[in-house]
């Protein structure tokens, strides 16, 4: 087990971009799915790509970086994160256990004041843009502050979630998930209320409307399917994207009929059918599989079941110290919950996760092969899915699902930008786009695990070694 003991102060030695930067010699995947370009030259100036290819003119005054033998892709996009969630249960008041152990408002105070912790863990992991699919309103100003910020990923946020609170459990979350009185959930109990909730999001500055669409009770299915359409119409009228959380096939189809542009989470309950695929194509939907979280949760549950704290799969030391302490101390709260299970009960729990993951993988491949846009997404911020390095597990689950590494590169760059509606600004390495890129030691066209070998990240034209953003040392000892 790797140990992380030394804390690093985050030291920035940014290239002052008064002069253009030029990176030469690398094999470049531009994010469009085109064949890689060998011995390419990338000219960057004032935060943007000025030239990419084999016939770029190198300006006289440029800083030249020789990247021969290395591989370059656009910066990764994580199309499903939550900045208002820590990666632990202190930010999830969905259970009495969490409520007893943590004060949600204290936790939010910290996150709001320290957004740089997650900014750095993302850049450290090669992620230069994130789509935040739900959180408290304090996350929304990050949309404008991140645009030209070389020390933060580009941020796109949907703010509070709209939901109907189908089950007692979801009503419990809705009621208790409040930050100093401000709710993270907005209601849709009537058509009028649904319209007001969408208007509220527009007023707050959200870029999208995220609906947490749990399966409604049988007697109100039709009513809520119609109400979801009202949300969709209002979102469209106000120019907001419609994002729907609907991991079951019936609800996912309702979401598409309501105009969903992004479906978060895989369909996990059954195989996607022809009707789903044609609705998804008609909407030109972006599908987010979020498969790695099942694996990360299962691994953490196994550790806790055996009386150990969950491990951090974080090859570059990107996860900040506070998050580590929260997990290493906080797991004690849940030990008894897991340890009271019999071996059979625990095995059944793990098997159930395994089944969800497998169904998600089969569906992700089907959706991709049907020509629907798939965007790499982690759900980072939910317990044990850590901001930044969670992406490596996600990428590997995509590859394990049978998706080709070259397609995974596109899903993790161009397709994420499309989910954000920013495909004209970022996600590919082309003239005029944001200069957001990463340098890798291994070839991501051969295996998605090559993303673990990242050495450098460029965000808005500034190139830094990822160690500049590391938050703990990884050099200690590896058994
Ligand atoms: Zn989520």
């Amino acid at each position: 087990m790797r140990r992380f003991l030394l804390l690093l102060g985050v030291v920035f030695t940014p290239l002052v971009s008064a002069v253009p930067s030029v990176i030469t010699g690398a094999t470049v995947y531009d994010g469009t799915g085109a064949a890689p370009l060998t011995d390419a030259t990338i000219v960057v100036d004032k935060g943007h790509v000025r030239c990419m290819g084999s016939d770029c003119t190198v300006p006289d005054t440029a800083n030249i970086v020789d990247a021969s033998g290395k591989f370059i892709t656009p910066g990764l996009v994580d199309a499903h994160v939550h900045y208002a969630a820590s990666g632990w249960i202190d930010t999830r008041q969905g259970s009495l256990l969490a409520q007893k152990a943590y004060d949600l408002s204290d936790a939010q105070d910290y996150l709001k004041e320290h957004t740089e912790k997650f900014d750095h863990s993302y850049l450290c992991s090669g992620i230069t843009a994130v789509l935040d699919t739900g959180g408290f309103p304090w996350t929304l100003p990050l949309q404008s502050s991140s645009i030209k910020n070389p020390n933060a990923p580009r941020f796109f946020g949907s703010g509070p979630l709209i939901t109907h609170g189908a089950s007692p459990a979801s009503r419990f979350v809705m009621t208790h998930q409040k930050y100093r009185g401000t709710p993270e959930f907005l209601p849709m109990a009537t058509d009028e209320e649904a319209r007001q909730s969408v208007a509220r999001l527009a007023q707050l500055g959200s870029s999208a409307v995220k609906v947490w669409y749990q399966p409604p009770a049988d007697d109100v299915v039709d009513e809520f399917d119609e109400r979801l359409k009202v949300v969709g119409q209002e979102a469209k009228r106000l120019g907001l994207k419609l994002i729907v959380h609907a991991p079951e096939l019936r609800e996912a189809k309702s979401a598409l009929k309501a105009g969903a542009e992004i479906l978060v989470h895989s369909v996990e309950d059954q195989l996607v059918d022809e009707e789903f695929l044609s609705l998804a194509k008609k909407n030109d939907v972006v599908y987010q599989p979020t498969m790695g979280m099942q694996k990360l949760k299962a691994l953490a549950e196994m550790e806790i079941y055996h009386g150990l704290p969950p491990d951090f799969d974080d090859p570059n030391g990107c996860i900040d110290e506070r998050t580590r302490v929260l997990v290493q101390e906080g797991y004690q709260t849940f030990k008894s919950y897991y340890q009271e299970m019999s071996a059979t009960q625990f095995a059944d729990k793990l098997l159930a996760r395994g089944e969800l993951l497998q169904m998600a993988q089969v569906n992700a491949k089907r959706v991709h092969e049907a020509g629907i846009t798939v965007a790499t997404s982690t759900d980072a911020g939910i317990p044990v899915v850590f901001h930044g390095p969670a992406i490596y597990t996600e990428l590997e689950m995509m590859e394990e699902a049978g998706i080709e590494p070259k397609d995974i590169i596109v899903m993790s760059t161009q397709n994420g930008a499309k989910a954000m509606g920013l495909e004209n600004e970022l996600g590919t390495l082309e003239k005029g786009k944001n200069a957001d890129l990463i340098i890798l030691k291994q070839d991501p066209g051969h295996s998605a695990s090559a993303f673990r070998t990242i050495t450098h990240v460029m965000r808005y034209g500034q190139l830094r070694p990822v160690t500049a953003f590391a938050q703990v040392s990884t050099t200690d000892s590896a058994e």
Side-chain angles (χ1 to χ4, degrees):
M1 188 187 293
R2 231 172 234 267
R3 305 251 168 234
F4 297 83
L5 297 173
L6 293 177
L7 269 181
L8 295 180
V10 178
V11 180
F12 292 108
T13 48
L15 282 176
V16 179
S17 34
V19 295
S21 299
V22 177
I23 307 176
T24 61
T27 297
V28 177
Y29 291 87
D30 67 6
T32 66
L37 201 61
T38 52
D39 197 16
T41 299
I42 305 174
V43 180
V44 166
D45 191 20
K46 298 186 178 68
H48 292 79
V49 175
R50 299 301 171 193
C51 182
M52 204 295 278
S54 49
D55 53 359
C56 293
T57 309
V58 175
D60 290 342
T61 55
N63 279 318
I64 298 175
V65 176
D66 179 6
S68 302
K70 302 257 184 106
F71 300 86
I72 290 179
T73 71
L76 300 175
V77 180
D78 188 339
H80 188 141
V81 312
H82 301 280
Y83 259 52
S86 66
W88 190 239
I89 51 131
D90 58 323
T91 46
R92 302 278 283 198
Q93 300 289 290
S95 72
L96 282 172
L97 211 56
Q99 275 195 355
K100 250 173 83 175
Y102 300 99
D103 183 278
L104 176 66
S105 288
D106 286 351
Q108 292 300 321
D109 280 344
Y110 183 88
L111 296 183
K112 184 182 172 190
E113 290 307 312
H114 294 279
T115 50
E116 81 285 356
K117 302 274 184 195
F118 297 158
D119 290 342
H120 294 172
S121 59
Y122 279 112
L123 294 178
C124 174
S125 307
I127 297 162
T128 55
V130 295
L131 196 172
D132 188 309
T133 60
F136 287 103
W138 66 258
T139 54
L140 295 170
L142 298 172
Q143 296 180 106
S144 52
S145 65
S146 66
I147 295 174
K148 296 181 178 179
N149 184 353
N151 297 324
R154 180 72 181 266
F155 185 97
F156 172 105
S158 57
L161 303 98
I162 296 180
T163 191
H164 57 101
S167 66
S170 53
R171 279 196 292 274
F172 184 87
V173 181
M174 278 174 73
T175 312
H176 295 283
Q177 195 75 7
K178 286 186 180 160
Y179 171 34
R180 306 211 180 284
T182 304
E184 197 172 16
F185 292 92
L186 300 172
M188 53 181 282
T190 63
D191 287 359
E192 187 47 32
E193 203 171 58
R195 284 191 202 96
Q196 280 169 0
S197 291
V198 177
R200 177 85 188 114
L201 291 175
Q203 202 179 44
L204 287 168
S206 300
S207 296
V209 172
K210 161 91 175 276
V211 181
W212 197 43
Y213 199 54
Q214 299 285 68
D218 288 345
D219 56 334
V220 288
V221 163
D222 294 339
E223 180 191 335
F224 278 105
D225 278 1
E226 287 306 309
R227 186 138 324 119
L228 190 56
K229 289 182 186 162
V230 172
V231 173
Q233 283 156 7
E234 195 63 4
K236 194 167 185 184
R237 194 177 72 80
L238 296 172
L240 305 177
K241 274 182 183 276
L242 180 64
I243 306 177
V244 184
H245 163 118
E248 296 188 14
L249 183 61
R250 203 208 68 82
E251 282 67 37
K253 286 184 194 173
S254 304
L256 291 169
K257 287 174 190 162
E261 289 162 89
I262 302 177
L263 278 184
V264 304
H265 304 305
S266 300
V267 171
E268 290 177 332
D269 65 327
Q270 53 185 303
L271 284 178
V272 292
D273 57 14
E274 288 305 322
E275 185 191 11
F276 173 90
L277 295 173
S278 69
L279 284 167
K281 268 190 257 188
K282 191 169 140 244
N283 282 27
D284 192 19
V285 81
V286 177
Y287 182 88
Q288 302 187 344
T290 61
M291 300 179 285
M293 64 171 184
Q294 295 294 359
K295 170 132 191 206
L296 291 167
K297 283 184 189 174
L299 290 171
E301 283 165 346
M302 275 195 273
E303 297 274 19
I304 297 174
Y305 185 70
H306 291 112
L308 297 167
D311 217 347
F312 300 99
D313 178 4
D314 181 16
N316 302 309
C318 301
I319 301 169
D320 67 281
E321 185 65 10
R322 177 179 177 270
T323 303
R324 289 168 185 278
V325 171
L326 268 174
V327 175
Q328 281 162 342
E329 292 178 353
Y331 87 100
Q332 305 276 2
T333 314
F334 296 92
K335 244 173 36 180
S336 60
Y337 169 76
Y338 285 103
Q339 290 177 343
E340 278 161 18
M341 287 183 198
S342 69
T344 315
Q345 283 171 325
F346 185 66
D348 286 345
K349 190 174 170 63
L350 287 187
L351 281 172
R353 279 210 191 287
E355 281 172 16
L356 290 175
L357 173 56
Q358 281 174 7
M359 186 61 77
Q361 287 181 310
V362 172
N363 279 336
K365 187 157 187 274
R366 276 170 77 94
V367 165
H368 168 55
E369 285 173 351
I372 293 152
T373 305
V374 173
T376 303
S377 315
T378 62
D379 210 357
I382 66 165
V384 306
V385 180
F386 300 112
H387 291 282
I391 200 155
Y392 304 132
T393 305
E394 186 65 32
L395 295 166
E396 286 156 2
M397 290 303 99
M398 292 163 82
E399 189 167 2
E400 196 185 279
I403 301 170
E404 289 195 39
K406 67 176 177 52
D407 294 335
I408 296 175
I409 297 171
V410 177
M411 292 174 183
S412 309
T413 56
Q414 186 179 50
N415 292 2
K418 180 180 168 185
M420 299 170 83
L422 296 175
E423 61 269 42
N424 294 326
E425 289 181 53
L426 52 95
T428 57
L429 292 172
E430 295 172 281
K431 188 178 176 185
K433 296 273 178 87
N434 279 2
D436 296 347
L437 59 83
I438 56 178
I439 304 181
L440 309 169
K441 279 192 225 164
Q442 291 175 13
D443 187 347
H446 287 169
S447 169
S449 55
F451 286 105
R452 290 178 182 270
T453 68
I454 180 172
T455 60
H456 290 75
V457 59
M458 174 180 278
R459 165 71 184 119
Y460 205 69
Q462 291 201 16
L463 185 68
R464 267 77 57 92
V466 288
T467 49
F469 293 105
Q471 304 195 71
V472 293
S473 168
T474 56
T475 56
D476 244 355
S477 74
E479 280 166 30

